[in-house]
Coordinates of all heavy atoms in Angstrom, one line a residue:
M214 N -6.5 -6.1 -7.7 CA -5.7 -7.1 -6.8 C -4.3 -6.5 -6.6 O -3.8 -6.8 -5.5 CB -5.6 -8.4 -7.5 CG -4.9 -9.5 -6.6 SD -5.7 -9.8 -5.1 CE -6.3 -11.4 -5.4
I215 N -3.7 -5.8 -7.5 CA -2.3 -5.3 -7.3 C -2.4 -4.2 -6.2 O -1.3 -4.3 -5.4 CB -1.8 -4.7 -8.6 CG1 -0.2 -4.4 -8.5 CG2 -2.5 -3.5 -9.1 CD1 0.6 -5.5 -8.1
Q216 N -3.3 -3.6 -6.0 CA -3.4 -2.6 -4.8 C -3.4 -3.3 -3.6 O -2.7 -2.9 -2.7 CB -4.6 -1.7 -5.0 CG -4.6 -0.8 -6.3 CD -5.9 0.0 -6.5 OE1 -6.5 0.4 -5.5 NE2 -6.3 0.1 -7.7
L217 N -4.2 -4.4 -3.5 CA -4.2 -5.2 -2.3 C -2.8 -5.8 -2.0 O -2.4 -5.8 -0.9 CB -5.3 -6.3 -2.4 CG -5.4 -7.2 -1.2 CD1 -5.9 -6.5 0.1 CD2 -6.3 -8.4 -1.7
Q218 N -2.2 -6.3 -3.1 CA -0.9 -6.9 -3.0 C 0.1 -5.9 -2.4 O 0.9 -6.3 -1.5 CB -0.4 -7.5 -4.3 CG -1.0 -8.8 -4.7 CD -0.3 -9.2 -6.1 OE1 -0.8 -8.6 -7.1 NE2 0.5 -10.2 -6.1
F219 N 0.2 -4.8 -3.0 CA 1.1 -3.8 -2.6 C 0.9 -3.4 -1.1 O 1.9 -3.3 -0.4 CB 1.1 -2.5 -3.5 CG 2.2 -1.6 -3.2 CD1 3.4 -1.9 -3.8 CD2 2.0 -0.5 -2.4 CE1 4.5 -1.0 -3.5 CE2 3.1 0.3 -2.0 CZ 4.3 0.1 -2.7
L220 N -0.3 -3.0 -0.7 CA -0.6 -2.7 0.6 C -0.2 -3.8 1.6 O 0.4 -3.5 2.7 CB -2.0 -2.3 0.9 CG -2.4 -1.0 0.1 CD1 -3.9 -0.8 0.3 CD2 -1.6 0.2 0.6
N221 N -0.4 -5.0 1.3 CA 0.0 -6.1 2.0 C 1.6 -6.3 2.2 O 2.2 -6.5 3.2 CB -0.6 -7.5 1.6 CG -1.8 -7.8 2.2 OD1 -1.9 -8.3 3.3 ND2 -2.9 -7.4 1.5
Y222 N 2.2 -6.0 1.0 CA 3.7 -5.9 0.9 C 4.2 -4.9 2.0 O 5.1 -5.1 2.7 CB 4.1 -5.6 -0.4 CG 5.7 -5.3 -0.6 CD1 6.5 -6.5 -0.6 CD2 6.2 -4.2 -0.5 CE1 7.9 -6.3 -0.7 CE2 7.5 -3.9 -0.6 CZ 8.4 -5.0 -0.7 OH 9.8 -4.8 -0.8
L223 N 3.6 -3.6 2.0 CA 4.0 -2.7 2.9 C 3.8 -3.0 4.4 O 4.7 -2.8 5.2 CB 3.2 -1.3 2.6 CG 3.5 -0.4 1.5 CD1 2.6 0.7 1.4 CD2 5.0 0.0 1.6
L224 N 2.6 -3.6 4.6 CA 2.4 -4.0 6.0 C 3.4 -5.1 6.4 O 3.8 -5.1 7.6 CB 1.0 -4.5 6.1 CG -0.1 -3.5 6.0 CD1 -1.5 -4.1 5.9 CD2 -0.1 -2.5 7.1
K225 N 3.7 -5.9 5.5 CA 4.7 -7.1 5.9 C 6.1 -6.5 6.1 O 6.8 -6.9 7.0 CB 4.6 -8.2 4.9 CG 5.6 -9.4 5.2 CD 5.5 -10.4 4.3 CE 6.4 -11.6 4.6 NZ 6.4 -12.6 3.6
T226 N 6.6 -5.8 5.1 CA 8.0 -5.3 5.1 C 8.2 -4.0 5.8 O 9.4 -3.8 6.2 CB 8.5 -5.1 3.6 OG1 7.8 -4.1 3.0 CG2 8.3 -6.4 2.8
K227 N 7.3 -3.2 6.0 CA 7.4 -1.9 6.6 C 8.4 -1.0 5.9 O 8.9 -0.1 6.5 CB 7.7 -2.1 8.1 CG 6.6 -2.9 8.8 CD 6.8 -2.8 10.2 CE 5.8 -3.5 11.0 NZ 4.5 -3.5 10.5
D228 N 8.6 -1.3 4.6 CA 9.6 -0.5 3.8 C 8.9 0.7 3.2 O 8.4 0.8 2.2 CB 10.1 -1.4 2.6 CG 11.1 -0.7 1.8 OD1 11.5 0.4 2.1 OD2 11.4 -1.3 0.7
S229 N 9.0 1.8 4.0 CA 8.4 3.1 3.5 C 9.2 3.7 2.4 O 8.6 4.6 1.6 CB 8.3 4.0 4.7 OG 9.5 4.4 5.2
S230 N 10.4 3.4 2.2 CA 11.2 4.0 1.0 C 10.6 3.7 -0.3 O 10.7 4.6 -1.2 CB 12.6 3.5 1.2 OG 12.7 2.2 0.8
I231 N 9.9 2.6 -0.4 CA 9.4 2.2 -1.7 C 8.3 3.2 -2.1 O 8.0 3.5 -3.3 CB 8.8 0.7 -1.7 CG1 8.5 0.3 -3.1 CG2 7.6 0.7 -0.8 CD1 8.3 -1.2 -3.2
L232 N 7.7 3.8 -1.1 CA 6.7 4.8 -1.5 C 7.3 6.1 -2.0 O 6.8 6.7 -2.9 CB 5.9 5.2 -0.2 CG 5.0 4.0 0.4 CD1 4.5 4.4 1.8 CD2 3.8 3.8 -0.5
L233 N 8.3 6.5 -1.3 CA 9.0 7.8 -1.6 C 9.7 7.7 -3.0 O 9.7 8.5 -3.8 CB 10.0 8.2 -0.5 CG 9.2 8.3 0.9 CD1 10.3 8.5 2.0 CD2 8.3 9.4 1.0
V234 N 10.5 6.7 -3.1 CA 11.4 6.5 -4.3 C 10.5 6.5 -5.6 O 11.0 6.9 -6.6 CB 12.2 5.2 -4.1 CG1 13.0 4.9 -5.4 CG2 13.3 5.4 -3.0
N235 N 9.4 5.8 -5.5 CA 8.5 5.6 -6.6 C 7.4 6.7 -6.7 O 6.6 6.5 -7.6 CB 8.0 4.2 -6.6 CG 9.1 3.2 -6.8 OD1 9.6 3.1 -7.9 ND2 9.4 2.5 -5.7
N236 N 7.4 7.7 -5.9 CA 6.4 8.8 -6.0 C 5.0 8.2 -6.0 O 4.2 8.7 -6.7 CB 6.7 9.7 -7.2 CG 8.0 10.3 -7.3 OD1 8.4 10.9 -6.2 ND2 8.7 10.3 -8.3
L237 N 4.7 7.3 -5.1 CA 3.3 6.8 -5.1 C 2.5 7.7 -4.2 O 3.0 8.2 -3.2 CB 3.4 5.4 -4.5 CG 4.2 4.4 -5.2 CD1 4.2 3.0 -4.5 CD2 3.8 4.2 -6.6
N238 N 1.3 7.8 -4.6 CA 0.3 8.6 -3.9 C -1.0 7.9 -3.9 O -1.2 6.9 -4.5 CB 0.2 10.0 -4.4 CG -0.1 10.1 -5.8 OD1 -1.1 9.4 -6.3 ND2 0.6 10.9 -6.6
E239 N -2.0 8.5 -3.3 CA -3.4 7.9 -3.2 C -3.9 7.5 -4.6 O -4.9 6.8 -4.7 CB -4.4 8.7 -2.4 CG -4.9 9.9 -2.9 CD -5.9 10.6 -2.0 OE1 -5.9 10.3 -0.8 OE2 -6.6 11.5 -2.6
D240 N -3.6 8.3 -5.7 CA -4.0 8.1 -7.0 C -3.8 6.5 -7.5 O -4.4 6.1 -8.3 CB -3.5 9.0 -8.1 CG -3.8 10.4 -7.8 OD1 -4.9 10.6 -7.1 OD2 -3.1 11.4 -8.2
F241 N -2.8 5.9 -6.8 CA -2.4 4.6 -7.3 C -3.3 3.6 -6.5 O -3.4 2.4 -6.9 CB -1.0 4.3 -6.8 CG 0.0 5.0 -7.8 CD1 0.4 6.2 -7.5 CD2 0.5 4.3 -8.8 CE1 1.4 6.8 -8.4 CE2 1.4 4.8 -9.7 CZ 1.8 6.1 -9.5
F242 N -4.2 4.0 -5.6 CA -4.9 3.1 -4.6 C -6.4 3.5 -4.8 O -7.0 3.7 -3.7 CB -4.4 3.2 -3.2 CG -2.9 2.8 -3.2 CD1 -1.9 3.7 -3.3 CD2 -2.6 1.4 -3.2 CE1 -0.6 3.3 -3.3 CE2 -1.2 1.1 -3.2 CZ -0.3 2.0 -3.2
S243 N -6.9 3.5 -5.9 CA -8.3 3.9 -6.1 C -9.3 3.0 -5.3 O -10.3 3.5 -4.8 CB -8.7 3.9 -7.5 OG -8.6 2.6 -8.1
D244 N -9.0 1.8 -5.1 CA -9.8 0.9 -4.4 C -9.5 0.8 -2.9 O -10.3 0.3 -2.2 CB -9.6 -0.6 -5.0 CG -10.1 -0.8 -6.4 OD1 -10.8 0.0 -6.9 OD2 -9.5 -1.6 -7.1
Y245 N -8.4 1.4 -2.5 CA -8.1 1.4 -1.1 C -7.5 2.8 -0.6 O -6.5 2.8 0.1 CB -6.9 0.4 -0.9 CG -7.4 -1.1 -1.2 CD1 -7.2 -1.6 -2.5 CD2 -8.0 -1.8 -0.2 CE1 -7.6 -2.9 -2.7 CE2 -8.4 -3.1 -0.4 CZ -8.2 -3.7 -1.7 OH -8.7 -4.9 -2.0
K246 N -8.1 3.9 -1.0 CA -7.7 5.2 -0.6 C -7.6 5.4 0.8 O -6.6 5.9 1.4 CB -8.6 6.2 -1.3 CG -8.2 6.6 -2.7 CD -8.9 7.8 -3.2 CE -8.4 7.9 -4.6 NZ -8.7 9.2 -5.2
N247 N -8.7 5.0 1.5 CA -8.6 5.1 3.0 C -7.5 4.3 3.7 O -6.8 4.8 4.7 CB -10.0 4.7 3.6 CG -11.1 5.7 3.2 OD1 -10.8 6.8 2.9 ND2 -12.4 5.2 3.2
E248 N -7.3 3.1 3.2 CA -6.2 2.3 3.8 C -4.9 2.9 3.4 O -4.1 3.0 4.3 CB -6.4 0.8 3.2 CG -7.6 0.1 3.6 CD -8.9 0.4 2.8 OE1 -8.9 1.3 2.0 OE2 -9.7 -0.5 2.8
Y249 N -4.7 3.3 2.2 CA -3.4 4.0 1.9 C -3.2 5.2 2.8 O -2.1 5.4 3.4 CB -3.4 4.3 0.5 CG -2.2 5.2 0.0 CD1 -0.9 4.6 -0.1 CD2 -2.4 6.5 -0.1 CE1 0.1 5.4 -0.4 CE2 -1.2 7.4 -0.4 CZ 0.1 6.7 -0.6 OH 1.1 7.5 -0.8
N250 N -4.2 6.0 2.8 CA -4.1 7.2 3.7 C -3.8 7.0 5.1 O -3.1 7.7 5.8 CB -5.3 8.2 3.4 CG -5.2 8.8 2.1 OD1 -4.0 9.3 1.6 ND2 -6.3 8.9 1.4
F251 N -4.3 5.9 5.7 CA -4.1 5.6 7.1 C -2.6 5.2 7.2 O -2.0 5.6 8.2 CB -5.0 4.3 7.5 CG -4.7 3.9 8.8 CD1 -5.3 4.6 9.9 CD2 -3.9 2.8 9.2 CE1 -4.9 4.1 11.2 CE2 -3.7 2.4 10.4 CZ -4.2 3.0 11.5
I252 N -2.0 4.4 6.3 CA -0.7 4.0 6.4 C 0.2 5.3 6.3 O 1.2 5.5 7.0 CB -0.4 3.1 5.3 CG1 -1.0 1.6 5.5 CG2 1.2 2.9 5.1 CD1 -0.9 0.7 4.4
I253 N -0.1 6.2 5.4 CA 0.7 7.4 5.2 C 0.6 8.2 6.4 O 1.7 8.8 6.9 CB 0.2 8.1 3.9 CG1 0.6 7.4 2.6 CG2 0.8 9.6 3.9 CD1 2.0 7.0 2.5
N254 N -0.6 8.5 6.9 CA -0.7 9.3 8.1 C 0.0 8.7 9.4 O 0.6 9.4 10.1 CB -2.2 9.5 8.5 CG -2.9 10.4 7.5 OD1 -2.2 11.2 6.7 ND2 -4.2 10.2 7.3
H255 N 0.0 7.4 9.4 CA 0.6 6.7 10.5 C 2.2 6.9 10.4 O 2.9 7.2 11.3 CB 0.4 5.2 10.5 CG 0.8 4.5 11.7 ND1 2.0 4.1 11.9 CD2 0.0 4.0 12.8 CE1 2.1 3.4 13.1 NE2 1.0 3.4 13.6
L256 N 2.6 6.7 9.2 CA 4.0 7.0 8.8 C 4.5 8.4 9.2 O 5.5 8.5 9.8 CB 4.3 6.7 7.3 CG 5.7 6.8 6.9 CD1 6.7 6.0 7.7 CD2 5.7 6.6 5.4
R257 N 3.7 9.4 8.8 CA 4.0 10.8 9.2 C 4.0 11.1 10.7 O 4.9 11.8 11.2 CB 3.0 11.6 8.5 CG 3.2 11.8 7.1 CD 2.3 12.8 6.4 NE 2.5 12.9 5.0 CZ 1.6 12.9 4.0 NH1 0.4 13.0 4.4 NH2 1.9 12.9 2.7
E258 N 3.0 10.5 11.4 CA 2.8 10.8 12.8 C 3.8 10.0 13.7 O 4.3 10.5 14.6 CB 1.4 10.5 13.2 CG 1.1 11.0 14.6 CD -0.4 11.0 14.9 OE1 -1.2 10.9 14.0 OE2 -0.7 11.1 16.0
Y259 N 4.0 8.8 13.3 CA 4.8 7.9 14.3 C 6.1 7.4 13.6 O 6.9 6.7 14.2 CB 4.0 6.7 14.6 CG 2.6 7.0 15.3 CD1 1.5 6.9 14.6 CD2 2.7 7.5 16.6 CE1 0.3 7.3 15.2 CE2 1.5 7.9 17.2 CZ 0.3 7.8 16.6 OH -0.8 8.2 17.2
G260 N 6.4 7.7 12.3 CA 7.7 7.4 11.7 C 7.8 6.0 11.2 O 8.9 5.6 10.9
N261 N 6.7 5.3 11.2 CA 6.7 3.9 10.7 C 5.4 3.5 10.1 O 4.4 4.1 10.3 CB 7.2 2.9 11.7 CG 6.2 2.7 12.9 OD1 5.3 3.5 13.1 ND2 6.4 1.7 13.8
I262 N 5.5 2.4 9.4 CA 4.2 1.8 8.8 C 3.6 1.0 9.9 O 4.3 0.2 10.7 CB 4.6 1.0 7.6 CG1 5.0 1.9 6.5 CG2 3.4 0.0 7.1 CD1 5.5 1.2 5.2
P263 N 2.2 1.1 10.0 CA 1.6 0.4 11.2 C 1.8 -1.2 11.1 O 2.0 -1.6 9.9 CB 0.2 0.7 11.1 CG 0.0 1.1 9.7 CD 1.3 1.7 9.2
D264 N 1.7 -1.8 12.2 CA 1.7 -3.3 12.1 C 0.2 -3.8 11.6 O -0.6 -3.0 11.6 CB 2.1 -4.0 13.4 CG 1.2 -3.8 14.5 OD1 0.1 -3.3 14.3 OD2 1.7 -3.9 15.7
S265 N 0.2 -5.0 11.3 CA -1.0 -5.6 10.9 C -2.3 -5.5 11.8 O -3.3 -5.2 11.4 CB -0.8 -7.1 10.4 OG 0.1 -7.3 9.3
I266 N -1.9 -5.6 13.1 CA -3.0 -5.7 14.0 C -3.6 -4.2 14.1 O -4.8 -4.0 14.2 CB -2.4 -6.0 15.6 CG1 -1.9 -7.5 15.4 CG2 -3.5 -5.8 16.6 CD1 -2.9 -8.5 15.0
T267 N -2.7 -3.2 14.2 CA -3.2 -1.8 14.3 C -4.0 -1.5 12.9 O -5.1 -0.9 13.0 CB -2.0 -0.8 14.3 OG1 -1.3 -1.1 15.5 CG2 -2.4 0.6 14.3
F268 N -3.5 -2.0 11.9 CA -4.2 -1.7 10.6 C -5.5 -2.4 10.6 O -6.6 -1.8 10.2 CB -3.4 -2.3 9.4 CG -3.9 -1.8 8.1 CD1 -3.6 -0.6 7.6 CD2 -4.5 -2.7 7.4 CE1 -4.1 -0.3 6.3 CE2 -5.0 -2.5 6.1 CZ -4.8 -1.1 5.5
L269 N -5.6 -3.6 11.0 CA -6.8 -4.4 11.0 C -7.9 -3.8 12.0 O -9.0 -4.0 11.8 CB -6.7 -5.9 11.3 CG -6.0 -6.6 10.1 CD1 -5.6 -8.1 10.5 CD2 -6.9 -6.6 8.9
N270 N -7.4 -3.2 13.1 CA -8.3 -2.5 14.1 C -9.1 -1.4 13.4 O -10.2 -1.2 13.7 CB -7.6 -2.0 15.2 CG -7.2 -3.1 16.2 OD1 -7.8 -4.1 16.3 ND2 -6.2 -2.8 17.0
N271 N -8.5 -0.8 12.3 CA -9.2 0.2 11.6 C -9.9 -0.3 10.3 O -10.8 0.4 9.9 CB -8.1 1.3 11.2 CG -7.6 2.1 12.4 OD1 -8.3 3.0 12.8 ND2 -6.7 1.6 13.0
F272 N -9.4 -1.4 9.8 CA -10.1 -1.9 8.5 C -10.2 -3.4 8.7 O -9.5 -4.2 8.1 CB -9.1 -1.7 7.4 CG -8.8 -0.2 7.1 CD1 -7.6 0.4 7.7 CD2 -9.7 0.7 6.6 CE1 -7.4 1.8 7.5 CE2 -9.5 2.0 6.4 CZ -8.3 2.6 6.9
P273 N -11.1 -3.8 9.5 CA -11.3 -5.2 9.9 C -11.7 -6.1 8.7 O -11.4 -7.4 8.7 CB -12.5 -5.2 10.9 CG -13.1 -3.9 10.8 CD -12.1 -2.9 10.3
S274 N -12.2 -5.6 7.6 CA -12.6 -6.4 6.5 C -11.4 -6.5 5.4 O -11.5 -7.2 4.4 CB -13.8 -5.9 5.8 OG -13.7 -4.6 5.3
F275 N -10.2 -5.8 5.7 CA -9.2 -5.8 4.8 C -8.6 -7.3 4.7 O -8.3 -7.9 5.8 CB -8.1 -4.9 5.3 CG -6.9 -4.7 4.3 CD1 -7.0 -4.0 3.2 CD2 -5.7 -5.5 4.6 CE1 -5.9 -3.8 2.4 CE2 -4.7 -5.3 3.7 CZ -4.7 -4.5 2.7
D276 N -8.3 -7.7 3.6 CA -7.7 -9.1 3.4 C -6.2 -9.2 3.6 O -5.5 -8.5 2.7 CB -8.1 -9.7 2.1 CG -9.6 -10.0 1.9 OD1 -10.2 -10.4 2.9 OD2 -10.1 -9.8 0.8
I277 N -5.7 -9.8 4.6 CA -4.3 -10.0 4.7 C -3.9 -11.3 3.8 O -4.4 -12.3 4.0 CB -3.9 -10.2 6.1 CG1 -4.2 -9.0 7.0 CG2 -2.4 -10.6 6.2 CD1 -3.4 -7.8 6.7
I278 N -3.0 -11.0 2.9 CA -2.6 -12.2 2.0 C -1.1 -12.2 1.9 O -0.4 -11.3 2.3 CB -3.1 -11.8 0.5 CG1 -2.6 -10.6 0.0 CG2 -4.6 -11.9 0.6 CD1 -2.9 -10.4 -1.5
E279 N -0.5 -13.3 1.6 CA 0.8 -13.5 1.4 C 1.2 -12.9 0.1 O 0.6 -13.3 -1.0 CB 1.2 -15.0 1.5 CG 2.7 -15.3 1.4 CD 3.4 -14.8 2.7 OE1 2.8 -14.8 3.8 OE2 4.6 -14.4 2.5
V280 N 2.3 -12.1 0.1 CA 2.9 -11.6 -1.2 C 4.4 -11.9 -1.2 O 5.1 -11.6 -0.4 CB 2.8 -10.0 -1.1 CG1 3.3 -9.5 -2.4 CG2 1.2 -9.6 -0.9
S281 N 4.6 -12.6 -2.4 CA 6.1 -12.9 -2.5 C 6.6 -12.4 -3.9 O 7.7 -12.7 -4.2 CB 6.2 -14.5 -2.6 OG 5.3 -15.1 -3.5
E282 N 6.0 -11.4 -4.5 CA 6.4 -10.8 -5.7 C 7.5 -9.8 -5.3 O 7.5 -9.3 -4.2 CB 5.3 -10.1 -6.4 CG 4.3 -11.0 -7.0 CD 4.8 -11.8 -8.1 OE1 6.0 -11.6 -8.6 OE2 4.0 -12.7 -8.6
S283 N 8.4 -9.4 -6.2 CA 9.5 -8.5 -6.0 C 8.9 -7.2 -5.9 O 7.8 -7.0 -6.6 CB 10.5 -8.7 -7.1 OG 10.0 -8.0 -8.3
P284 N 9.6 -6.2 -5.3 CA 9.1 -4.8 -5.3 C 9.0 -4.2 -6.7 O 8.0 -3.5 -7.0 CB 10.2 -4.1 -4.5 CG 10.8 -5.2 -3.7 CD 10.7 -6.4 -4.4
D285 N 9.9 -4.6 -7.5 CA 9.9 -4.1 -8.9 C 8.6 -4.5 -9.6 O 8.0 -3.7 -10.3 CB 11.2 -4.5 -9.7 CG 12.4 -3.9 -9.2 OD1 12.3 -2.8 -8.6 OD2 13.5 -4.4 -9.5
F286 N 8.3 -5.7 -9.5 CA 7.0 -6.3 -10.1 C 5.9 -5.4 -9.6 O 5.0 -5.0 -10.3 CB 6.9 -7.7 -9.8 CG 5.5 -8.3 -10.3 CD1 5.3 -8.6 -11.6 CD2 4.5 -8.3 -9.4 CE1 4.1 -9.2 -12.0 CE2 3.2 -8.8 -9.8 CZ 3.0 -9.2 -11.1
L287 N 5.8 -5.3 -8.2 CA 4.6 -4.6 -7.7 C 4.5 -3.2 -8.2 O 3.4 -2.7 -8.5 CB 4.7 -4.7 -6.1 CG 4.7 -6.1 -5.4 CD1 5.0 -6.0 -4.0 CD2 3.3 -6.6 -5.7
I288 N 5.6 -2.5 -8.2 CA 5.6 -1.1 -8.7 C 5.2 -1.0 -10.2 O 4.4 -0.2 -10.5 CB 7.0 -0.4 -8.6 CG1 7.4 -0.3 -7.1 CG2 7.1 0.9 -9.3 CD1 6.4 0.6 -6.3
D289 N 5.8 -1.9 -11.0 CA 5.4 -1.9 -12.5 C 3.9 -2.1 -12.6 O 3.2 -1.4 -13.4 CB 6.1 -2.9 -13.2 CG 7.6 -2.7 -13.5 OD1 8.0 -1.6 -13.2 OD2 8.4 -3.6 -13.8
K290 N 3.4 -3.1 -11.8 CA 1.9 -3.4 -12.0 C 1.1 -2.2 -11.4 O 0.0 -2.0 -11.9 CB 1.6 -4.7 -11.3 CG 2.3 -5.9 -12.0 CD 1.8 -6.0 -13.5 CE 2.4 -7.0 -14.2 NZ 2.2 -7.1 -15.6
L291 N 1.6 -1.6 -10.4 CA 0.7 -0.5 -9.9 C 0.6 0.7 -10.9 O -0.4 1.2 -11.1 CB 1.4 0.1 -8.6 CG 1.0 -0.4 -7.3 CD1 1.7 0.3 -6.1 CD2 -0.6 -0.1 -7.1
Y292 N 1.8 0.9 -11.5 CA 1.7 1.9 -12.6 C 0.9 1.6 -13.7 O 0.1 2.3 -14.3 CB 3.2 2.3 -13.1 CG 3.9 3.4 -12.3 CD1 4.6 3.1 -11.1 CD2 3.7 4.7 -12.7 CE1 5.2 4.0 -10.5 CE2 4.4 5.7 -12.0 CZ 5.1 5.4 -10.8 OH 5.6 6.5 -10.2
E293 N 0.9 0.3 -14.1 CA 0.0 -0.3 -15.2 C -1.4 -0.1 -14.7 O -2.3 0.4 -15.6 CB 0.3 -1.7 -15.5 CG 1.5 -1.9 -16.3 CD 1.7 -3.4 -16.6 OE1 0.8 -4.3 -16.6 OE2 2.9 -3.9 -16.7
D294 N -1.7 -0.5 -13.6 CA -3.1 -0.3 -13.1 C -3.6 1.1 -13.1 O -4.7 1.5 -13.5 CB -3.1 -0.8 -11.7 CG -4.5 -0.8 -10.9 OD1 -5.5 -1.4 -11.5 OD2 -4.6 -0.2 -10.0
K295 N -2.8 2.0 -12.6 CA -3.1 3.4 -12.6 C -3.3 3.9 -14.0 O -4.3 4.7 -14.3 CB -2.1 4.2 -11.8 CG -2.4 5.8 -11.8 CD -1.3 6.5 -11.1 CE -1.6 8.0 -11.0 NZ -1.1 8.7 -12.2
N296 N -2.4 3.6 -14.8 CA -2.5 4.1 -16.2 C -3.7 3.6 -17.0 O -4.2 4.2 -17.9 CB -1.2 3.8 -17.0 CG -0.1 4.7 -16.5 OD1 -0.2 5.7 -16.0 ND2 1.2 4.1 -16.6
T297 N -4.2 2.4 -16.7 CA -5.4 1.9 -17.3 C -6.7 2.6 -16.9 O -7.7 2.5 -17.5 CB -5.5 0.3 -17.2 OG1 -5.6 0.0 -15.7 CG2 -4.3 -0.4 -17.7
R298 N -6.6 3.1 -15.7 CA -7.7 3.9 -15.1 C -7.9 5.3 -15.6 O -8.8 6.0 -15.3 CB -7.8 3.8 -13.6 CG -8.0 2.5 -13.0 CD -8.0 2.4 -11.5 NE -6.7 2.3 -10.9 CZ -6.1 3.2 -10.2 NH1 -6.6 4.3 -10.1 NH2 -4.9 3.1 -9.8
V299 N -6.8 5.8 -16.1 CA -6.7 7.2 -16.5 C -7.4 7.5 -17.8 O -7.6 6.8 -18.7 CB -5.3 7.8 -16.6 CG1 -5.2 9.2 -17.0 CG2 -4.6 7.7 -15.2

């Protein structure tokens, strides 16, 4: 669930710095690798995170949810999630 929360956070805030500052890569998104890579490729090609409509056109079954957790919480939980899978 944390992977879904984080991707929704990105789509809502469009804050790409959180990816760079925390050295996040596709290894953190085992359940959503294609979705993560789409966001990263869009960021590289167009300079921004895609909006929800563009994203849903490519991933129509993706669940858009409300995320109100802090970025620090999301990052901590992403690292925990990744470390439990290693």
Side-chain angles (χ1 to χ4, degrees):
M214 183 63 110
I215 187 61
Q216 295 173 37
L217 178 65
Q218 281 180 284
F219 188 84
L220 291 175
N221 271 279
Y222 174 83
L223 279 180
L224 292 171
K225 181 179 179 184
T226 65
K227 302 191 180 318
D228 179 11
S229 60
S230 68
I231 195 169
L232 297 168
L233 305 171
V234 169
N235 294 288
N236 297 315
L237 300 180
N238 58 44
E239 73 176 14
D240 296 338
F241 286 86
F242 300 94
S243 61
D244 298 337
Y245 297 94
K246 278 191 182 195
N247 292 335
E248 292 87 341
Y249 170 79
N250 284 322
F251 178 81
I252 290 171
I253 292 303
N254 291 334
H255 191 281
L256 179 60
R257 287 183 183 140
E258 188 168 346
Y259 301 106
N261 65 344
I262 291 176
D264 64 20
S265 297
I266 301 300
T267 300
F268 189 80
L269 287 173
N270 281 335
N271 288 276
F272 303 99
S274 62
F275 185 82
D276 292 325
I277 298 291
I278 60 172
E279 184 67 31
V280 178
S281 55
E282 293 292 352
S283 71
D285 291 337
F286 173 84
L287 296 171
I288 294 297
D289 287 348
K290 293 301 176 186
L291 264 180
Y292 269 90
E293 282 179 26
D294 179 60
K295 180 180 180 270
N296 291 336
T297 60
R298 288 183 276 112
V299 174

